[in-house]
Amino acid sequence: MAIEVEREYIQKWTKEHLPDYTSRLGLMDYIYFTKDDENLTIQTDIRTLFYGTLLSFAGFIVVFKEFERIFLNVLEDNVDVLLLKKHYGDHFITALYDFSYSDYYVFPKQLESEEELEIYLQEFVKCVRYHENVIFPYLSDITNMAKYVGSVPFERSGEINIGGGYPVSFFKKLAILKWGGYEERYEEYKKGLEAFIEEGFSDPEEAVEAPLNKEGFVNLINYLENKPNPFLKS
């Protein structure tokens, strides 16, 4: 029989074992954990369902501050403000097992003893530290970020969530692929996005944004292909 896990217990436990993360109890039975420094903002959560008899730990939200600062400056110079306000997002969302953490531990949804809960929380801390110290520094390098974004073809691009909505999220992927040197995927995504944008002109619901999408696309491509790569060290 599954034990009932109280959010307050998890919060108290993690304050001792993740002291550099702030925690708060949220709506819908969530407990949020956040760490913010000069390079990254990391957020993750545990959700307790059905009176704490079911636990859910799904992944991370992370902001790569240097990249977002550079990319947003480019957007502001090349993309209409309406698109920025509606569709820009600064956070990547990574699923828990995107980076093979299941090789170490698979988080169960139900726990049957206090001992299992202790193991679960210890593994939660290990997983957070693994992503904080290994995965996110790896992704902070623009070449590795491009490998991650380009790990799927354009048709499956929705599997990689880098924040924001169409078309700005695709603009971000184009910038990552170009600056990260993944030229083959860059050309594939450029062609695919251009086709999407052209289709928008035949959709009455996109009557306002379709011309802005195309203008932003043309401006961004021109910038990416003619301006110096901001991540190349001189």
Side-chain angles (χ1 to χ4, degrees):
M1 179 179 294
I3 62 172
E4 296 182 8
V5 182
E6 295 183 354
R7 292 190 301 165
E8 290 78 6
Y9 177 83
I10 294 176
Q11 186 178 38
K12 181 179 179 181
W13 192 97
T14 52
K15 280 184 178 179
E16 179 180 350
H17 295 85
L18 279 175
D20 49 335
Y21 281 71
T22 60
S23 65
R24 64 180 177 86
L25 303 180
L27 299 176
M28 303 294 292
D29 300 314
Y30 280 100
I31 314 164
Y32 295 104
F33 305 92
T34 305
K35 182 175 182 178
D36 186 51
D37 62 29
E38 62 180 351
N39 299 312
L40 299 171
T41 298
I42 301 169
Q43 179 179 301
T44 188
D45 59 70
I46 294 176
R47 191 180 187 189
T48 61
L49 299 166
F50 300 107
Y51 305 101
T53 60
L54 190 66
L55 299 181
S56 174
F57 169 39
F60 297 84
I61 295 173
V62 59
V63 178
F64 298 97
K65 293 183 178 180
E66 180 187 20
F67 172 81
E68 294 297 339
R69 176 182 57 79
I70 292 171
F71 177 63
L72 185 56
N73 285 339
V74 173
L75 283 183
E76 289 174 340
D77 290 339
N78 292 280
V79 175
D80 189 273
V81 66
L82 174 65
L83 298 185
L84 289 182
K85 288 182 176 179
K86 289 187 64 176
H87 303 301
Y88 172 69
D90 65 358
H91 54 279
F92 284 55
I93 300 176
T94 64
L96 181 56
Y97 300 124
D98 279 357
F99 300 97
S100 301
Y101 195 79
S102 58
D103 293 347
Y104 304 94
Y105 179 77
V106 176
F107 288 88
K109 294 185 179 298
Q110 290 188 321
L111 304 173
E112 297 185 356
S113 68
E114 299 294 334
E115 290 76 13
E116 287 188 7
L117 175 59
E118 182 72 17
I119 293 172
Y120 184 102
L121 293 176
Q122 289 175 0
E123 292 296 334
F124 170 73
V125 170
K126 289 180 185 178
C127 184
V128 170
R129 295 304 188 197
Y130 171 71
H131 282 78
E132 174 189 341
N133 296 322
V134 178
I135 298 303
F136 298 145
Y138 171 84
L139 289 178
S140 295
D141 180 276
I142 191 64
T143 302
N144 297 327
M145 190 182 289
K147 291 177 182 177
Y148 173 60
V149 169
S151 63
V152 297
F154 181 81
E155 290 75 14
R156 293 168 49 204
S157 58
E159 295 177 19
I160 306 293
N161 189 335
I162 61 171
Y166 172 84
V168 178
S169 61
F170 281 98
F171 291 170
K172 185 188 288 191
K173 290 182 177 181
L174 286 174
I176 292 169
L177 293 169
K178 185 65 174 177
W179 290 336
Y182 203 158
E183 289 291 339
E184 181 180 356
R185 276 285 194 254
Y186 169 76
E187 293 296 336
E188 176 188 343
Y189 273 59
K190 181 173 74 171
K191 181 179 179 180
L193 179 57
E194 185 175 22
F196 269 3
I197 289 173
E198 290 298 331
E199 290 175 6
F201 283 94
S202 61
D203 185 348
E205 293 185 1
E206 293 192 36
V208 174
E209 291 192 15
L212 302 180
N213 294 344
K214 184 168 185 177
E215 178 186 33
F217 174 79
V218 171
N219 290 345
L220 180 67
I221 295 302
N222 181 64
Y223 183 96
L224 293 175
E225 297 183 359
N226 293 284
K227 297 294 184 179
N229 184 334
F231 292 93
L232 287 182
K233 308 300 181 183
S234 57

